[in-house]
Amino acid sequence: MTLRKKPFLLALVLTSLIGLGTTLQVVMGDDDEDEEHEGRERMGEYHEGRSSLMKVSNETWKTECSACHMAYPPGMLPAESWKAMMNKLGDHFGTDASLDADTMKEILPFLEQNASQRRVETKQGEPVLRITETTWFKREHDEISQATWKNPKVKSASNCMACHTQADKGNFDEDAVRIPR
């Protein structure tokens, strides 16, 4: 090897190292994002629209809840809220959604075990029963106009599927949002 080729080789090696460093930085960045996601998952923050809420499932929960509405992912409310809601199914937002004891014994523990870790309660200190009344929901939807909420294709804030096209799969990512016109 001649001396004239060494600067070229040195430049090639440096360029390769810079390229490798950039690649590693991208890969490491993805890992950090995954770690943040896992932390959010543990904290019950799925509902912030950054990832899937449906990491867990229970066929009885899905069947019973989906009979009337979308089966809302357990991570959308804390365990206290799910417990209060399940204990009032005789008047579930104006509808009798009562379940037999065996079904209750299967669904309530599933909801409690996979609930949000955040404490959410009313000003009176009672558990919030409506997901749409939680602070995170209001914050995530504060840019939605009243006209959108009144759109016949949306009907109400509880109709997640109107805009979140993959809500039934637990995906509330903003990339999957299509607001009806």
Side-chain angles (χ1 to χ4, degrees):
M1 182 175 298
T2 65
L3 287 176
R4 288 193 319 193
K5 288 186 178 179
K6 282 187 177 178
F8 172 75
L9 287 174
L10 181 60
L12 183 63
V13 168
L14 286 174
T15 302
S16 297
L17 288 173
I18 290 170
L20 178 63
T22 302
T23 302
L24 287 174
Q25 196 172 29
V26 169
V27 171
M28 297 294 279
D30 286 347
D31 286 347
D32 291 343
E33 189 174 284
D34 288 343
E35 289 173 8
E36 179 183 346
H37 165 73
E38 290 170 9
R40 290 184 169 280
E41 184 178 352
R42 284 191 298 275
M43 296 302 291
E45 296 182 31
Y46 279 126
H47 44 68
E48 294 188 357
R50 292 186 178 98
S51 62
S52 175
L53 283 164
M54 210 69 77
K55 293 288 183 185
V56 293
S57 189
N58 173 292
E59 281 306 313
T60 303
W61 156 77
K62 192 170 187 175
T63 299
E64 292 296 337
C65 297
S66 297
C68 299
H69 55 71
M70 184 187 96
Y72 297 104
M76 291 186 145
L77 287 173
E80 299 81 21
S81 296
W82 288 121
K83 186 175 182 178
M85 186 180 305
M86 294 297 286
N87 287 329
K88 296 179 183 177
L89 286 179
D91 184 16
H92 186 62
F93 305 110
T95 300
D96 184 356
S98 299
L99 297 172
D100 62 66
D102 289 340
T103 304
M104 286 284 290
K105 285 180 184 175
E106 183 174 345
I107 294 176
L108 182 55
F110 167 74
L111 291 171
E112 290 177 317
Q113 290 166 6
N114 297 291
S116 170
Q117 299 301 308
R118 287 184 175 185
R119 186 173 176 84
V120 181
E121 58 187 30
T122 64
K123 290 179 181 176
Q124 293 76 31
E126 296 183 15
V128 170
L129 301 182
R130 292 183 183 273
I131 294 165
T132 56
E133 293 177 355
T134 61
T135 303
W136 67 262
F137 181 91
K138 291 175 184 176
R139 184 181 62 242
E140 289 293 324
H141 297 86
D142 64 353
E143 76 280 3
I144 305 299
S145 71
Q146 287 302 312
T148 298
W149 292 125
K150 292 177 182 173
N151 182 331
K153 294 177 183 174
V154 176
K155 297 180 184 170
S156 82
S158 65
N159 184 13
C160 301
M161 288 295 297
C163 302
H164 296 272
T165 59
Q166 298 178 13
D168 59 335
K169 296 174 183 70
N171 182 353
F172 291 84
D173 193 282
E174 290 186 10
D175 292 338
V177 171
R178 304 289 179 269
I179 297 176
R181 305 269 176 219

